[in-house]
Amino acid sequence: MKITSTMLHKKLNRLALVVFLAFGFTGRSQVMINEYSCSNLSSYQDNFGNYEDWVELYNAGSTAVNLAGYHLSDKKTNLAKWTFGNVNIAAGGFLRIWASGNDVTAGANLHTSFSLTQCKPDIIIFSNTTSTVLDSFTLQRTQVGHSRGRTTNGAATWSVFQNPTPNNSNNGATAYQNYATTPTMSKAPGFYAGAQTVAITSPDPNITIRYTLNGNTPTTGSAIYSTPLNVATTTVVRAKAFSSTSTIPASFVESNTFFINSPHTVSVISIFGDQLGTLMGGTQNTPTVGVEYFDSSGTFRNESFGNANKHGNDSWFYAQRGID
């Protein structure tokens, strides 16, 4: 079949339309998304005394911009989900917005009507008064207390910041590359009739994998992985990759529970983490824990990771305690 220039032009037009519909349009704007954090556990407090997710805008222009009628959203299908009031962002200035879901404004504290979830992942969309998208960014996971932002103010590249800079310049802050790749294990978590050999790998160069077998988070002092592990009894294997490159932070933790010769007829959860035994022993603390859920057939279904604390009042004084 011979393709003429007219036919090619039509095909390119159709392709451009498909791309526009699939990905949307990002207009040129001097105000842009500059930094965000969805793991602000204890670093920056809002006016209610809470540690909320936040998004920072940056005005790269030479004139101030009034954002009245502009929007932030986490939904492509609802760009006007939250609307700015009469708020100015100075030339070369920064504006932090709390993604708390409270939908209130109290002085310099702006709270959106929605919150963010980095593990879905959500998307942050900034649009103008006519709902034309000016900037957007799909969230990537950050570890506790970290943020992601433009390597320098307004730059096209993004970095990890272990010390976030909300309402301040990213210039001069230590910008890290993405985290080391999370290790993978050769066997899936679950129920096994006998001992299992578990290999742990990472595709990254210049990394050391460290692991624990007691439920604790691996640190730089934990055992170094070198040969496959023989798991002969029910064990939680946790692994973390540490890079020798100073600009690459350590990976997230991979945690797999292996139940060995442990028959069951009901759904099962595995809970593990640092100082979890202290909490379950009756001393109130807030340990960081992981949870894996297996259905009654022993099939792994889901996992979660976060902080735990006590549940109940009178019941807390019994040996079998509940936690949240």
Side-chain angles (χ1 to χ4, degrees):
M1 176 182 177
K2 182 179 180 180
I3 300 178
T4 66
S5 60
T6 301
M7 293 170 63
L8 180 60
H9 182 70
K10 289 181 178 179
K11 288 179 179 291
L12 290 175
N13 282 343
R14 285 196 294 270
L15 177 61
L17 177 61
V18 170
V19 171
F20 176 85
L21 292 174
F23 298 102
F25 172 75
T26 300
R28 293 183 177 273
S29 172
Q30 67 185 57
V31 179
M32 63 190 72
I33 299 166
N34 200 54
E35 190 178 1
Y36 70 88
S37 178
C38 291
S39 52
N40 176 35
L41 186 65
S42 59
S43 301
Y44 300 97
Q45 209 170 36
D46 69 7
N47 52 308
F48 297 112
N50 299 321
Y51 297 93
E52 301 287 1
D53 300 340
W54 52 266
V55 179
E56 178 196 75
L57 300 181
Y58 167 61
N59 182 358
S62 58
T63 58
V65 175
N66 188 290
L67 296 176
Y70 282 61
H71 311 288
L72 277 179
S73 179
D74 61 344
K75 299 291 183 185
K76 294 180 181 179
T77 55
N78 183 12
L79 297 179
K81 192 168 185 178
W82 182 77
T83 304
F84 286 89
N86 186 24
V87 178
N88 286 306
I89 180 168
F94 305 90
L95 180 66
R96 176 181 57 196
I97 303 97
W98 299 107
S100 65
N102 290 327
D103 195 18
V104 296
T105 297
N109 289 280
L110 311 179
H111 292 259
T112 64
S113 58
F114 58 89
S115 57
L116 296 169
T117 303
Q118 63 175 359
C119 296
K120 285 185 178 179
D122 276 346
I123 185 171
I124 304 170
I125 309 171
F126 174 58
S127 60
N128 66 11
T129 56
T130 61
S131 293
T132 298
V133 175
L134 302 178
D135 199 8
S136 64
F137 193 83
T138 299
L139 302 182
Q140 299 180 55
R141 293 173 63 198
T142 55
Q143 295 177 16
V144 174
H146 296 179
S147 69
R148 288 186 188 264
R150 297 182 185 273
T151 305
T152 56
N153 301 327
T157 57
W158 284 67
S159 298
V160 172
F161 293 95
Q162 293 185 334
N163 295 296
T165 62
N167 274 341
N168 286 287
S169 175
N170 293 356
N171 298 348
T174 303
Y176 293 86
Q177 299 176 52
N178 205 5
Y179 300 102
T181 304
T182 304
T184 58
M185 300 187 195
S186 61
K187 295 292 177 66
F191 290 76
Y192 295 91
Q196 298 295 305
T197 299
V198 179
I200 309 174
T201 58
S202 168
D204 295 358
N206 306 317
I207 63 99
T208 299
I209 296 174
R210 294 182 179 270
Y211 70 94
T212 62
L213 303 176
N214 62 357
N216 288 342
T217 303
T219 67
T220 54
S222 299
I224 296 175
Y225 173 83
S226 58
T227 58
L229 306 176
N230 178 44
V231 180
T233 60
T234 296
T235 304
V236 179
V237 180
R238 308 191 71 191
K240 188 173 184 177
F242 296 84
S243 175
S244 61
T245 303
S246 61
T247 56
I248 299 179
S251 73
F252 289 89
V253 180
E254 177 70 359
S255 305
N256 284 2
T257 304
F258 300 99
F259 295 93
I260 307 300
N261 191 24
S262 182
H264 64 99
T265 58
V266 297
S267 298
V268 176
I269 60 171
S270 171
I271 309 175
F272 44 85
D274 306 343
Q275 300 181 349
L276 176 61
T278 302
L279 175 63
M280 300 301 288
T283 301
Q284 295 183 33
N285 62 354
T286 54
T288 300
V289 304
V291 179
E292 290 183 309
Y293 168 69
F294 304 82
D295 66 20
S296 58
S297 71
T299 302
F300 171 76
R301 291 298 185 184
N302 213 334
E303 62 185 342
S304 187
F305 187 76
N307 279 1
N309 53 33
K310 77 153 192 161
H311 177 86
N313 291 308
D314 293 343
S315 62
W316 187 252
F317 295 97
Y318 292 92
Q320 189 172 16
R321 298 176 175 88
I323 65 171
D324 293 322

